[in-house]
C-alpha cells in the first residue's frame, strides 16, 4: 500500500504558513508505508527534529484498483474514512524549502502518518461536508470541514490516478485546515469525526 497526501488544500492553513500563491492543481506528496502509526500506539518524537507539528486530516481508504479515474466515478473507489495526523518536522521543512531541496524526509519519516479507526462512507450523507477536529489533553486545537477543501475528494482521486495507479488499501490524506501546532512529550491526542472519537494516542 502507499500513502498519498495533499498539501495546501485549505485556504486558512495556507495563510497561517504564509503561502500566498493560488494553486491551480493539487499539491501531492507521498509517504512510505513505514510511516503508518495505528492501533493507538504512541508517537515518539524523532531525535532529528526540534519542532514536530500535528496536521489533522480526513483520510480516505481506497477499495478498488483504478487508473485514469473520472471525477464522476471516483466515489466508487473508496469505502471508508477516518481521522489522521500528518506529522511534519517543520524545522526540516523550512530548511529544505529554503535550499530548494525536496522535503519528503520532513513528511515521510517513520510513524509520521497516524490513522484512526476507519468507518464506512455509507454512514454519512455527504463526505464533502464532514466536520473533524483534534484535541490535545482534552482541549480542542484544530477543527476543519471537508466542505472547505480547495480540491474535493473525488477530484483529488481523479487527479492522482492520472499519474499513479490506485490500489486496494491505499490511503489518501486530504489536507489539513488551519490550527497546526507543535507536539511535546506526554500530550494526549484525540481525533474526532462528526463527534465520534476515532483516533486516540499519546506523544512520547
Amino acid at each position: 500500500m502507499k500513502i498519498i497526501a495533499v498539501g495546501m488544500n485549505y485556504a486558512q492553513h495556507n495563510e497561517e504558513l504564509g503561502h500566498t500563491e493560488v494553486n491551480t492543481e493539487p499539491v501531492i506528496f507521498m509517504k512510505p508505508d513505514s510511516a503508518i502509526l495505528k492501533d493507538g500506539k504512541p508517537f515518539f518524537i524523532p531525535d532529528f527534529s526540534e519542532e514536530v507539528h500535528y496536521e489533522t486530516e480526513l483520510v480516505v481508504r481506497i477499495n478498488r484498483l483504478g487508473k485514469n479515474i473520472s471525477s464522476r466515478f471516483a466515489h466508487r473507489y473508496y469505502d471508508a474514512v477516518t481521522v489522521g495526523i500528518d506529522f511534519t518536522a517543520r524545522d526540516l521543512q523550512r530548511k529544505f524549502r529554503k535550499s530548494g531541496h525536496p522535503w519528503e524526509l520532513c513528511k515521510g519519516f517513520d510513524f509520521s502518518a497516524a490513522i484512526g479507526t476507519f468507518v464506512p462512507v455509507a454512514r454519512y450523507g455527504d463526505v464533502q461536508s464532514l466536520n473533524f477536529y483534534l484535541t490535545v489533553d482534552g482541549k480542542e486545537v484544530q477543527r476543519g470541514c471537508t466542505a472547505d477543501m480547495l480540491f474535493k475528494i473525488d477530484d483529488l482521486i481523479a487527479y492522482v490516478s492520472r499519474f499513479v495507479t490506485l490500489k486496494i488499501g491505499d490511503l489518501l490524506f486530504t489536507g489539513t485546515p488551519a490550527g497546526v501546532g507543535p507536539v511535546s512529550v506526554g500530550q494526549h491526542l484525540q481525533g474526532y469525526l462528526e463527534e465520534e472519537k476515532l483516533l486516540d494516542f499519546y506523544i512520547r
Side-chain angles (χ1 to χ4, degrees), residues 135-149:
T135 66
V136 175
D137 296 333
K139 178 181 178 181
E140 184 178 310
V141 295
Q142 191 176 20
R143 176 178 286 270
C145 180
T146 58
D148 297 326
M149 288 180 177

Side-chain angles (χ1 to χ4, degrees), residues 25-134:
E25 293 183 325
V27 175
I28 304 297
F29 61 95
M30 313 282 274
K31 287 174 175 267
D33 57 5
S34 56
I36 287 291
L37 179 69
K38 60 181 181 178
D39 301 327
K41 294 179 180 178
F43 172 78
F44 290 86
I45 297 177
D47 60 7
F48 51 75
S49 176
E50 299 294 329
E51 187 184 358
V52 175
H53 282 201
Y54 58 79
E55 296 189 7
T56 314
E57 314 195 4
L58 183 83
V59 181
V60 174
R61 185 177 68 193
I62 302 299
N63 69 330
R64 293 177 63 180
L65 184 72
K67 174 70 175 175
N68 290 320
I69 301 165
S70 169
S71 291
R72 64 193 178 112
F73 296 128
H75 66 279
R76 300 178 182 178
Y77 288 82
Y78 56 96
D79 64 346
V81 294
T82 191
V83 177
I85 295 180
D86 166 25
F87 282 110
T88 304
R90 193 71 71 200
D91 48 354
L92 294 187
Q93 186 180 47
R94 286 193 294 264
K95 175 184 174 182
F96 295 152
R97 279 180 167 166
K98 184 177 181 180
S99 60
H101 294 158
W103 40 272
E104 278 82 0
L105 291 181
C106 74
K107 288 280 194 177
F109 57 89
D110 287 351
F111 310 118
S112 61
I115 55 172
T117 302
F118 279 93
V119 293
V121 170
R123 182 180 301 183
Y124 308 105
D126 182 6
V127 295
Q128 213 56 73
S129 64
L130 295 178
N131 296 291
F132 59 96
Y133 65 96
L134 176 73

Side-chain angles (χ1 to χ4, degrees), residues 164-204:
V164 295
T165 300
L166 297 181
K167 296 185 176 182
I168 297 172
D170 286 352
L171 302 180
L172 175 65
F173 277 65
T174 58
T176 193
V180 302
V183 294
S184 59
V185 174
Q187 289 180 327
H188 185 195
L189 275 61
Q190 296 175 299
Y192 296 79
L193 179 61
E194 293 293 340
E195 305 305 322
E196 181 179 3
K197 184 171 66 176
L198 301 179
L199 184 66
D200 191 338
F201 67 103
Y202 287 85
I203 305 296
R204 300 301 188 200

